[in-house]
Amino acid sequence: MKSLMKFLVFSLLFSLSLCFQESSNSHQLPRNMILEYPDDGGKADQEEVNLQCTSWRFAVEANNLNSWKTIPQECADYVKNYMMGKGYLLDLERVSNEAAVFARSVNVEEDSKDAWIFDIDETLLSNLPYYTDHGYGLEVFDGVEFDKWVGKGMAPAIEPSLRLYEEVLSLGFKVFLLTGRSEKMRDVTAQNLMNVGYKNWDKLILRDTEDHGKLATIFKSEKRSEMMKEGFRIQGNSGDQWSDLLGFPMSTRSFKLPNPMYYIP
Amino acid sequence: MKSLMKFLVFSLLFSLSLCFQESSNSHQLPRNMILEYPDDGGKADQEEVNLQCTSWRFAVEANNLNSWKTIPQECADYVKNYMMGKGYLLDLERVSNEAAVFARSVNVEEDSKDAWIFDIDETLLSNLPYYTDHGYGLEVFDGVEFDKWVGKGMAPAIEPSLRLYEEVLSLGFKVFLLTGRSEKMRDVTAQNLMNVGYKNWDKLILRDTEDHGKLATIFKSEKRSEMMKEGFRIQGNSGDQWSDLLGFPMSTRSFKLPNPMYYIP
């Protein structure tokens, strides 16, 4: 009965919050579809949670949210289902396919100055085994625990990214790996990458002592500036965080991999 | 008790479905959920279409897609349902709420140089009545037909944007309206905006003769550059197209309104 009570309270609060959103106004668009809640127990509520959490996920992926530290409590199951089900894989495949189409369209010059940047975590390597044990973003990030996981060098490849990586290399791009991981993780990171199939990158750039405390956007922009000064044309940039992609300079095309589990400013 | 039973049954099914997703293969990522198509007519296929179209929509909103002219044929119903149902409204409300939170956090200075840019179509005004008659993006864009609609000056306000607009003004920002509409639409556009509640903008910027043929990203970046040269600090920028938001300079924060119906490069 305790869980029934909790469920009813949750449903009530949820419905109330929607009521307030649905004030009448003839010019309001889109024309509201008033959800009728039939006598089917939890089904309509589950639909409502799905709608709300899908909307939240889109806000994450479009970079509309203000800084956040954990996923919404009510989206815990939604995020888990997305990550472990088909949705995440479909999104990863789509973004890699679109990136490959763009990569093939670039006229790669013979001066070896056309470059592609890849982020590492949740871009080339997956930390899903770690996040499976830590609530898929429901727990506040624990740097000490996470570093232990990284130290094992056991992160699997994100397969669609590996295919893109290989194609980008074969097209003649220089490949830079630009990660927020610390310099002290260089060896284990390189070994992990090689073990799961990533080879022949041009440079692996990690956070050095003077980069600690910098926002990711700043750190990564500085590194892209250096590449630009060295004459590289940054054609593509693949990352799961907008802080991998925004700032100055930006690449010709950016590719945002899905990640509803955490946010790095 | 009836609803309790249904709730329990639902929870049980939900837990079971999670169990099946968590099959053992520690390194394969994400663990594939093989969709079995049971003998239930079109239902599993409908789920598949929903998954695919949601993934496509995510790629639109995260700006991962290469240039596209119409929505995928198989997503026609999906896009219609999204636009006319609750999903679009939820997304509009979320982006306006997040933008308002950011706007309140800006320390607006007394020199009147803090600015907010709004795009018009699908940002302040909705062309959904037009797109309802034209397949929600399924038809190739017809500039002549669309201009007839614009010429009527009948586009309704997007209510969550109107609330943001008013709040941004009341916080002391200068408001610039920056649109791809042609200069010849100035009067009807201004009248349409005022009729549905938008007032007191600082400047309405449309495409002049020399801007025709420019990509939206270029045209809008040039206009933002001019603002910057005039000493404005572009704090916020709201638009439904990434070409409203990307380029140089960018605003401190960009807000991407949802639009799965069309793409402007």
Side-chain angles (χ1 to χ4, degrees):
Chain A
M1 285 309 283
K2 203 172 143 204
S3 62
L4 174 65
M5 281 305 292
K6 278 187 187 160
F7 173 65
L8 289 174
V9 168
F10 175 76
S11 308
L12 184 69
L13 287 174
F14 215 88
S15 315
L16 277 174
S17 73
L18 292 173
C19 276
F20 283 116
Q21 284 168 33
E22 283 175 11
S23 57
S24 66
N25 186 322
S26 63
H27 270 173
Q28 190 174 338
L29 277 170
R31 288 148 233 186
N32 261 330
M33 186 175 74
I34 305 297
L35 267 189
E36 301 269 329
Y37 290 101
D39 185 23
D40 66 350
K43 200 173 160 224
D45 289 289
Q46 190 56 42
E47 258 173 40
E48 193 57 47
V49 169
N50 272 335
L51 260 171
Q52 290 284 353
C53 296
T54 300
S55 173
W56 173 82
R57 184 161 70 85
F58 276 83
V60 169
E61 299 301 346
N63 202 30
N64 286 334
L65 293 189
N66 295 290
S67 194
W68 52 281
K69 288 199 190 309
T70 62
I71 64 172
Q73 181 81 43
E74 63 271 31
C75 298
D77 284 344
Y78 174 93
V79 171
K80 178 180 178 178
N81 290 339
Y82 169 76
M83 294 302 298
M84 303 305 284
K86 221 172 168 177
Y88 182 49
L89 182 61
L90 273 179
D91 288 343
L92 289 172
E93 281 173 347
R94 194 175 305 267
V95 66
S96 275
N97 290 345
E98 293 290 328
V101 169
F102 166 71
R104 285 173 221 135
S105 79
V106 175
N107 186 14
V108 177
E109 296 190 31
E110 292 192 358
D111 61 2
S112 297
K113 290 294 189 186
D114 291 288
W116 199 290
I117 301 174
F118 288 96
D119 167 57
I120 294 181
D121 291 299
E122 267 56 69
T123 300
L124 295 185
L125 297 179
S126 173
N127 299 302
L128 199 42
Y130 174 84
Y131 283 99
T132 296
D133 292 338
H134 291 85
Y136 303 93
L138 201 58
E139 296 175 17
V140 176
F141 181 72
D142 180 337
V144 176
E145 278 300 299
F146 185 70
D147 278 359
K148 279 187 208 163
W149 155 255
V150 168
K152 291 180 187 167
M154 296 285 286
I158 291 181
E159 290 295 326
S161 295
L162 179 53
R163 287 198 297 275
L164 172 65
Y165 180 96
E166 285 170 347
E167 175 148 11
V168 158
L169 272 178
S170 76
L171 288 165
F173 290 90
K174 288 280 172 192
V175 165
F176 296 104
L177 311 187
L178 179 49
T179 174
R181 288 186 178 193
S182 150
E183 188 63 49
K184 69 184 178 196
M185 295 293 185
R186 175 177 291 278
D187 291 347
V188 73
T189 299
Q191 198 58 54
N192 191 159
L193 285 162
M194 287 186 288
N195 287 348
V196 298
Y198 295 100
K199 312 214 151 66
N200 302 319
W201 58 80
D202 197 69
K203 216 183 245 186
L204 167 59
I205 308 165
L206 305 98
R207 265 185 207 259
D208 214 338
T209 324
E210 75 264 24
D211 301 316
H212 290 287
K214 283 180 192 165
L215 287 178
T217 315
I218 306 293
F219 164 63
K220 295 195 168 183
S221 288
E222 286 175 1
K223 295 302 171 185
R224 289 199 300 277
S225 285
E226 288 171 21
M227 292 171 204
M228 199 175 67
K229 278 178 203 143
E230 290 165 24
F232 288 102
R233 296 175 294 277
I234 309 173
Q235 303 285 8
N237 187 1
S238 297
D240 66 295
Q241 299 288 323
W242 280 98
S243 53
D244 298 328
L245 309 173
L246 295 177
F248 184 82
M250 280 184 72
S251 50
T252 308
R253 280 289 303 276
S254 292
F255 296 94
K256 168 69 178 75
L257 280 77
N259 185 357
M261 299 190 297
Y262 59 85
Y263 174 82
I264 299 175
Chain B
M1 284 312 284
K2 199 173 147 204
S3 61
L4 174 64
M5 279 306 292
K6 280 187 181 162
F7 174 63
L8 289 175
V9 168
F10 177 76
S11 307
L12 184 69
L13 288 174
F14 209 83
S15 316
L16 278 174
S17 75
L18 291 174
C19 281
F20 282 115
Q21 282 171 35
E22 284 172 13
S23 60
S24 62
N25 185 328
S26 62
H27 270 180
Q28 190 178 340
L29 278 173
R31 287 145 232 190
N32 258 330
M33 187 174 75
I34 304 299
L35 263 190
E36 301 269 329
Y37 289 101
D39 187 18
D40 65 350
K43 202 175 156 224
D45 290 294
Q46 192 54 44
E47 257 173 43
E48 191 58 43
V49 168
N50 272 336
L51 260 171
Q52 290 285 352
C53 296
T54 301
S55 172
W56 173 81
R57 186 161 68 84
F58 152 76
V60 169
E61 299 300 346
N63 203 30
N64 286 335
L65 293 190
N66 295 291
S67 194
W68 53 281
K69 287 198 189 311
T70 62
I71 63 172
Q73 182 81 42
E74 64 271 31
C75 298
D77 284 342
Y78 175 93
V79 171
K80 178 182 177 175
N81 290 339
Y82 169 76
M83 294 302 296
M84 303 306 282
K86 223 170 167 176
Y88 182 49
L89 182 61
L90 274 179
D91 287 344
L92 289 172
E93 281 173 347
R94 195 176 303 270
V95 66
S96 275
N97 291 344
E98 293 290 328
V101 168
F102 167 70
R104 286 175 220 135
S105 79
V106 175
N107 187 15
V108 178
E109 295 190 30
E110 292 191 358
D111 61 2
S112 298
K113 290 294 189 185
D114 292 288
W116 198 289
I117 301 174
F118 288 95
D119 168 57
I120 293 181
D121 291 300
E122 268 54 71
T123 300
L124 296 185
L125 297 178
S126 173
N127 298 304
L128 200 42
Y130 173 84
Y131 283 98
T132 296
D133 293 338
H134 291 85
Y136 303 93
L138 201 58
E139 296 175 15
V140 176
F141 182 72
D142 179 338
V144 176
E145 278 300 299
F146 185 70
D147 278 359
K148 279 188 208 164
W149 154 256
V150 168
K152 290 181 187 167
M154 296 285 286
I158 291 181
E159 289 295 325
S161 296
L162 180 53
R163 287 198 297 275
L164 172 66
Y165 179 96
E166 285 171 346
E167 176 148 10
V168 158
L169 272 177
S170 76
L171 287 166
F173 289 90
K174 288 280 172 192
V175 165
F176 296 104
L177 311 188
L178 180 48
T179 174
R181 288 186 179 193
S182 150
E183 188 63 50
K184 69 184 179 197
M185 294 295 185
R186 175 176 292 278
D187 292 347
V188 73
T189 299
Q191 199 57 56
N192 192 158
L193 285 163
M194 286 186 288
N195 287 347
V196 299
Y198 295 100
K199 312 215 149 70
N200 301 319
W201 58 79
D202 197 70
K203 217 182 245 185
L204 167 59
I205 308 165
L206 306 98
R207 266 184 206 259
D208 216 338
T209 324
E210 76 262 24
D211 302 315
H212 290 288
K214 283 180 191 165
L215 287 178
T217 314
I218 306 292
F219 164 62
K220 295 196 169 184
S221 289
E222 286 175 359
K223 296 301 171 185
R224 289 199 300 277
S225 285
E226 289 170 20
M227 293 172 203
M228 198 174 67
K229 278 177 203 144
E230 290 165 23
F232 288 102
R233 296 176 294 275
I234 308 172
Q235 304 285 8
N237 188 0
S238 298
D240 66 294
Q241 298 289 322
W242 279 99
S243 53
D244 297 328
L245 309 172
L246 294 177
F248 184 81
M250 280 184 71
S251 50
T252 308
R253 280 287 302 278
S254 292
F255 296 94
K256 168 70 178 74
L257 279 77
N259 185 356
M261 299 189 298
Y262 59 85
Y263 173 83
I264 300 174

